[in-house]
Coordinates of all heavy atoms in Angstrom, one line a residue:
A416 N -42.4 46.4 54.2 CA -41.0 46.4 54.5 C -40.7 46.5 56.0 O -39.7 46.0 56.4 CB -40.3 47.5 53.7
D417 N -41.7 47.1 56.8 CA -41.4 47.3 58.2 C -41.5 45.9 59.0 O -41.3 45.9 60.1 CB -42.3 48.3 58.8 CG -43.8 47.9 58.6 OD1 -44.1 47.0 57.9 OD2 -44.6 48.7 59.2
E418 N -41.9 44.8 58.3 CA -42.0 43.6 58.9 C -40.7 42.7 58.7 O -40.7 41.5 59.0 CB -43.2 42.8 58.5 CG -44.5 43.4 58.9 CD -45.7 42.6 58.5 OE1 -45.5 41.6 57.8 OE2 -46.9 43.0 58.8
E419 N -39.7 43.3 58.2 CA -38.5 42.6 57.9 C -37.9 42.0 59.1 O -37.7 42.8 60.1 CB -37.5 43.5 57.1 CG -36.3 42.8 56.6 CD -35.4 43.6 55.8 OE1 -35.7 44.8 55.6 OE2 -34.4 43.2 55.3
Q420 N -37.6 40.7 59.2 CA -37.1 40.1 60.4 C -35.6 40.0 60.5 O -35.1 39.9 61.5 CB -37.7 38.7 60.5 CG -39.2 38.6 60.6 CD -39.7 37.2 60.7 OE1 -39.2 36.3 59.9 NE2 -40.6 36.9 61.6
I421 N -34.9 40.2 59.3 CA -33.4 40.1 59.3 C -32.9 41.4 58.7 O -33.2 41.7 57.5 CB -32.9 38.9 58.5 CG1 -33.5 37.6 59.1 CG2 -31.4 38.9 58.5 CD1 -33.1 36.4 58.4
I422 N -32.2 42.2 59.5 CA -31.6 43.4 59.0 C -30.1 43.4 59.1 O -29.5 43.1 60.2 CB -32.1 44.6 59.8 CG1 -33.7 44.7 59.7 CG2 -31.5 45.9 59.3 CD1 -34.2 45.8 60.6
Q423 N -29.4 43.5 57.9 CA -28.0 43.5 57.9 C -27.4 44.9 58.3 O -27.7 45.8 57.6 CB -27.4 43.0 56.6 CG -25.9 42.9 56.6 CD -25.4 42.1 55.4 OE1 -26.2 41.7 54.5 NE2 -24.1 41.8 55.3
R424 N -26.7 45.0 59.4 CA -26.2 46.3 59.8 C -24.9 46.6 59.1 O -24.8 47.8 58.6 CB -25.9 46.2 61.3 CG -27.1 45.9 62.2 CD -26.8 45.8 63.7 NE -26.3 47.0 64.3 CZ -25.1 47.2 64.6 NH1 -24.1 46.3 64.4 NH2 -24.7 48.4 65.2
D425 N -24.1 45.7 58.9 CA -22.8 45.9 58.1 C -22.4 44.6 57.6 O -23.2 43.6 57.6 CB -21.7 46.6 58.9 CG -21.4 45.8 60.2 OD1 -21.3 44.6 60.2 OD2 -21.3 46.5 61.3
E426 N -21.2 44.5 57.1 CA -20.7 43.3 56.4 C -20.6 42.1 57.4 O -20.8 40.9 56.9 CB -19.3 43.5 55.8 CG -18.7 42.4 55.0 CD -17.4 42.7 54.5 OE1 -16.8 43.7 54.8 OE2 -16.9 41.9 53.6
N427 N -20.5 42.3 58.7 CA -20.3 41.2 59.6 C -21.3 41.2 60.7 O -21.0 40.5 61.8 CB -18.8 41.3 60.2 CG -17.8 41.1 59.1 OD1 -17.8 40.1 58.4 ND2 -16.8 42.0 59.1
S428 N -22.4 41.8 60.6 CA -23.4 41.8 61.7 C -24.8 41.9 61.2 O -25.0 42.6 60.2 CB -23.1 42.9 62.8 OG -23.3 44.2 62.2
W429 N -25.7 41.3 61.9 CA -27.1 41.3 61.5 C -28.0 41.4 62.8 O -27.6 40.9 63.9 CB -27.5 40.0 60.9 CG -26.8 39.7 59.6 CD1 -27.3 39.9 58.3 CD2 -25.5 39.1 59.4 NE1 -26.4 39.5 57.4 CE2 -25.3 39.0 58.0 CE3 -24.5 38.7 60.3 CZ2 -24.1 38.5 57.5 CZ3 -23.3 38.2 59.7 CH2 -23.2 38.1 58.4
L430 N -29.1 42.1 62.7 CA -30.1 42.3 63.7 C -31.3 41.4 63.3 O -31.9 41.7 62.3 CB -30.5 43.7 63.9 CG -31.3 44.1 65.1 CD1 -30.6 43.7 66.4 CD2 -31.8 45.5 65.1
I431 N -31.6 40.4 64.1 CA -32.6 39.4 63.7 C -33.6 39.2 64.8 O -33.3 39.2 66.0 CB -31.9 38.0 63.5 CG1 -30.8 38.2 62.5 CG2 -32.9 37.0 63.0 CD1 -30.0 36.9 62.1
D432 N -34.9 39.2 64.4 CA -36.0 39.0 65.3 C -35.9 37.5 65.9 O -35.6 36.6 65.2 CB -37.3 39.2 64.6 CG -38.5 39.4 65.6 OD1 -38.7 38.4 66.4 OD2 -39.1 40.4 65.5
G433 N -36.3 37.4 67.1 CA -36.2 36.1 67.8 C -37.1 35.0 67.2 O -36.8 33.8 67.3
I434 N -38.2 35.5 66.5 CA -39.1 34.5 66.0 C -38.8 34.2 64.5 O -39.6 33.5 63.8 CB -40.6 35.0 66.1 CG1 -40.8 36.3 65.2 CG2 -41.0 35.2 67.5 CD1 -42.2 36.8 65.1
T435 N -37.7 34.6 64.0 CA -37.3 34.4 62.6 C -37.1 32.9 62.4 O -36.4 32.2 63.2 CB -36.0 35.1 62.2 OG1 -36.2 36.5 62.5 CG2 -35.7 34.9 60.8
P436 N -37.7 32.2 61.4 CA -37.5 30.8 61.2 C -36.0 30.5 61.0 O -35.2 31.3 60.4 CB -38.2 30.5 59.9 CG -39.3 31.6 59.8 CD -38.7 32.8 60.5
I437 N -35.5 29.4 61.6 CA -34.1 29.1 61.6 C -33.6 28.8 60.2 O -32.4 29.1 59.9 CB -33.9 27.9 62.5 CG1 -32.4 27.8 62.9 CG2 -34.4 26.6 61.9 CD1 -31.8 28.9 63.7
E438 N -34.5 28.4 59.3 CA -34.1 28.2 57.9 C -33.6 29.5 57.2 O -32.7 29.5 56.5 CB -35.2 27.5 57.1 CG -35.5 26.1 57.5 CD -36.5 26.0 58.6 OE1 -36.9 27.1 59.1 OE2 -37.0 24.9 58.9
D439 N -34.4 30.6 57.6 CA -34.0 31.9 57.0 C -32.7 32.4 57.6 O -31.9 33.0 56.9 CB -35.1 32.9 57.3 CG -36.4 32.5 56.6 OD1 -36.4 31.7 55.6 OD2 -37.5 33.0 57.0
V440 N -32.5 32.1 58.9 CA -31.2 32.5 59.5 C -30.0 31.8 58.9 O -29.0 32.4 58.5 CB -31.3 32.2 61.0 CG1 -29.9 32.6 61.7 CG2 -32.4 33.1 61.7
M441 N -30.2 30.5 58.6 CA -29.2 29.7 58.0 C -28.8 30.1 56.6 O -27.7 30.2 56.2 CB -29.6 28.2 58.0 CG -29.7 27.6 59.4 SD -30.3 25.9 59.4 CE -29.1 25.0 58.4
R442 N -29.9 30.5 55.9 CA -29.7 31.0 54.5 C -28.9 32.3 54.5 O -28.0 32.5 53.7 CB -31.0 31.1 53.8 CG -30.9 31.6 52.3 CD -32.2 31.8 51.7 NE -33.1 30.7 51.8 CZ -34.2 30.6 52.4 NH1 -34.6 31.7 53.1 NH2 -34.9 29.5 52.5
V443 N -29.3 33.2 55.3 CA -28.6 34.5 55.4 C -27.2 34.4 55.8 O -26.3 35.0 55.2 CB -29.4 35.5 56.3 CG1 -28.6 36.8 56.5 CG2 -30.7 35.8 55.6
L444 N -26.9 33.6 56.8 CA -25.6 33.4 57.3 C -24.8 32.4 56.6 O -23.6 32.1 56.9 CB -25.6 33.0 58.8 CG -26.4 34.0 59.8 CD1 -26.3 33.5 61.2 CD2 -25.8 35.4 59.7
Q445 N -25.4 31.7 55.6 CA -24.7 30.7 54.8 C -24.2 29.6 55.6 O -23.1 29.1 55.5 CB -23.6 31.3 53.9 CG -24.1 32.4 52.9 CD -23.0 32.9 52.1 OE1 -21.8 32.8 52.4 NE2 -23.4 33.6 51.0

Side-chain angles (χ1 to χ4, degrees):
D417 59 353
E418 293 183 357
E419 188 173 1
Q420 295 179 319
I421 302 177
I422 300 174
Q423 185 166 4
R424 299 175 68 252
D425 53 44
E426 185 179 8
N427 295 309
S428 65
W429 296 260
L430 189 63
I431 305 180
D432 195 303
I434 64 171
T435 303
I437 197 64
E438 293 88 352
D439 295 340
V440 176
M441 293 173 62
R442 182 184 304 114
V443 169
L444 302 182
Q445 297 181 345

